[in-house]
Each structure stands twice: as structure tokens, then as C-alpha cells.
């Protein structure tokens, strides 16, 4: 089974993707994580992408489609792919469609995670995450433990993303509404779209996703 998690920044795509990986042995393909890794590795592409990401703009389709293609060629896909943060433009959606056809794979569902904008701003500006394992924290609902160690893996490297500030979040929201939200209509017309309420708590959201995938 191959699925796309679609929704604005802060909708909880990464959190739900991690759950699906644990529970269904699927492979998470997060272009955001891949770009951050390229940046840490100091590649030329990573440096350029890093500047764009800090502003909150979208990295070019060519770059992002290229890294997804590379991953799809390397992985064997085990229990299927979860595309998290990709596609984000119509050009990316069409490229993904072609890649899947070439691999003889289907797209089984596009899960739209609906969240209102005020909630997004609140969630993102309170967010931090473990650099080692990706566990996500929230200053209000799930604070970093007093000893500073990750509840999941014990690492003390819990960081805030440089683009999780109000200004770049505005830009990310613009990018979402201008460039990514047309994908909701695109996948609806294709018959692939399932909407879930992303404002419910993490387990309820997971349950609605499970229901949408049945
Ligand atoms: P979030 O969904 O919380 O904004 P991501 O980790 O998915 O965060 O993405 C962070 C940044 O990486 C984006 O703001 C954008 O600059 C870049 N990025 C990630 N995926 C894509 C993509 N598919 N196309 C273009 N840029 C992307
Ligand atoms: Zn951790």
C-alpha cells in the first residue's frame, strides 16, 4: 500500500507517518527530512535548499523529484511507502504518478489532514524534536523532560527547527495555500482523497487514518 499524507505544516504528517512505520512496516519518505539531511551533510544542494527552507519557501521541483526518485530506486518499499510532505506542487504530483507507474505500483490513498490555521501557528511555534530519533515535543502538551533526555531514545539532542518561527511559518502557509492546496482538488477528482480531522488527539487521528485505509 502506498499513501500520501497531505496537509499544511504542523498538521501532524510526520507524527502519523512514524506511527504507520511502526505499526505497518511501511517506509516513510519525508522530503523535509531528506533535505535536512542533505543540509547536515553539507552538499551543495543541501546548502542551497537550507536557505530556501529557512525562509519557508519551496525547494525547486527538480531537486525534490530527484531525491524522491533516488530513494525509490534504493528502497525495496517493504510494506509500502508513506509520502510525507511530498508532493507539494502539481508538477510533483504528476511526477510521482509517473514514477509509481514505472515501478508498477499504485497510489492507494491520499490522506488530507485538516487543521485550522490558528492551531497550526500554535503547534509549530511550540514544537521541538529529537535530532536522534525524531520524537516530537510540544512546550504545552508534551514538554521536554526535566533532565533534557528524549523519552524515546535517551538522547539529549532535542532541537527546534530554524524554520519553526512565526515569520517563516507565514511563508510556509502561503506556499501551502498557493502551491500545495490545489492537490486536494486534484486527488479528489482522481478519487483518491480521504479527509481526516487533524485536530483530534494523536491516537484519534491514527484511528481515523486506519479507518480511511480500510
Ligand atoms: P512542514 O510540513 O512542517 O513545513 P517539512 O519538513 O515537510 O515541514 O518541510 C520543511 C521545508 O522543506 C519546507 O518548508 C520546504 O522548504 C522544504 N520541502 C520539503 N518538502 C518539499 C517538497 N516536496 N517540495 C518543495 N520543498 C519541500
Ligand atoms: Zn530521541
Amino acid at each position: 500500500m502506498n499513501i500520501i499524507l497531505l496537509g499544511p505544516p504542523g498538521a501532524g504528517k510526520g507524527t502519523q507517518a512514524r506511527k504507520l512505520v511502526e505499526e505497518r512496516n511501511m517506509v516513510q519518505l519525508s522530503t523535509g527530512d531528506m533535505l535536512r539531511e542533505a543540509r547536515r551533510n553539507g552538499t551543495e544542494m543541501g546548502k542551497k535548499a537550507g536557505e530556501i527552507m529557512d525562509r519557508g519557501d519551496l525547494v525547486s521541483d527538480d531537486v525534490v523529484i530527484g531525491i524522491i526518485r533516488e530513494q525509490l530506486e534504493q528502497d525495496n518499499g517493504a510494506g509500502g511507502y508513506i509520502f510525507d510532505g511530498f508532493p507539494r506542487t502539481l508538477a510533483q504530483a504528476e511526477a510521482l504518478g509517473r514514477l509509481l507507474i514505472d515501478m508498477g505500483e499504485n497510489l492507494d490513498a491520499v490522506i488530507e489532514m485538516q487543521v485550522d490555521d490558528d492551531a497550526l501557528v500554535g503547534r509549530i511555534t511550540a514544537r521541538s524534536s529529537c535530532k536522534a530519533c525524531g520524537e516530537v515535543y510540544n512546550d504545552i502538551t508534551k514538554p521536554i523532560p526535566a533532565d533534557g533526555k528524549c523519552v524515546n531514545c535517551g538522547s539529549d539532542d532535542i532541537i527546534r527547527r530554524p524554520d519553526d518561527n512565526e515569520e517563516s511559518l507565514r511563508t510556509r502557509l502561503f506556499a501551502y495555500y498557493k502551491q500545495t492546496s490545489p492537490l486536494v482538488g486534484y486527488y479528489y477528482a482522481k478519487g483518491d482523497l480521504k479527509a481526516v480531522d487533524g485536530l483530534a488527539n494523536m491516537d484519534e487521528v491514527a484511528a481515523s487514518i486506519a479507518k480511511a485505509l480500510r
Side-chain angles (χ1 to χ4, degrees):
M1 184 170 59
N2 301 303
I3 66 170
I4 294 172
L5 295 182
L6 185 64
K13 303 183 294 285
T15 302
Q16 294 301 327
R18 286 156 46 79
K19 270 177 116 47
L20 289 164
V21 169
E22 272 170 33
E23 288 161 14
R24 300 182 184 231
N25 192 34
M26 296 175 80
V27 175
Q28 176 187 11
L29 296 181
S30 157
T31 41
D33 288 348
M34 292 172 200
L35 291 167
R36 281 184 286 276
E37 196 191 325
R39 182 181 202 177
R40 276 196 299 279
N41 295 338
T43 63
E44 211 40 55
M45 180 274 274
K47 278 186 225 161
K48 266 195 216 145
E51 285 170 30
I52 299 170
M53 292 165 78
D54 284 350
R55 284 204 306 269
D57 287 322
L58 294 189
V59 174
S60 79
D61 287 335
D62 287 354
V63 166
V64 176
I65 292 165
I67 59 175
I68 279 283
R69 183 185 295 121
E70 255 172 46
Q71 283 299 320
L72 290 175
E73 282 166 3
Q74 279 168 25
D75 272 322
N76 65 7
Y81 293 105
I82 307 158
F83 295 94
D84 159 15
F86 177 90
R88 258 176 159 92
T89 62
L90 285 168
Q92 292 178 19
E94 304 224 291
L96 176 61
R98 286 191 295 271
L99 284 169
L100 289 173
I101 289 173
D102 289 349
M103 293 169 22
E105 293 276 340
N106 286 320
L107 181 61
D108 296 282
V110 177
I111 308 283
E112 185 206 353
M113 301 185 61
Q114 299 179 324
V115 192
D116 75 66
D117 295 337
D118 285 341
L120 296 177
V121 178
R123 273 189 186 183
I124 287 194
T125 48
R127 171 165 89 170
S128 52
S129 66
C130 173
K131 204 168 168 184
C133 76
E135 187 77 13
V136 179
Y137 295 88
N138 178 291
D139 297 342
I140 295 134
T141 58
K142 187 180 167 188
I144 302 165
D147 64 2
K149 292 201 191 327
C150 174
V151 291
N152 184 45
C153 76
S155 158
D156 56 11
D157 211 358
I158 300 178
I159 51 158
R160 249 173 235 279
R161 274 170 44 180
D163 59 343
D164 275 353
N165 61 72
E166 248 190 280
E167 195 191 335
S168 106
L169 177 57
R170 286 288 153 211
T171 312
R172 280 151 71 199
L173 279 178
F174 270 120
Y176 181 77
Y177 286 112
K178 273 169 74 172
Q179 291 166 279
T180 309
S181 66
L183 299 185
V184 172
Y186 176 87
Y187 286 118
Y188 176 80
K190 281 181 170 275
D192 297 329
L193 196 75
K194 318 254 184 202
V196 302
D197 174 12
L199 271 184
N201 74 45
M202 210 173 101
D203 294 328
E204 283 164 7
V205 177
S208 0
I209 292 178
K211 200 171 146 204
L213 295 180
R214 272 206 292 271

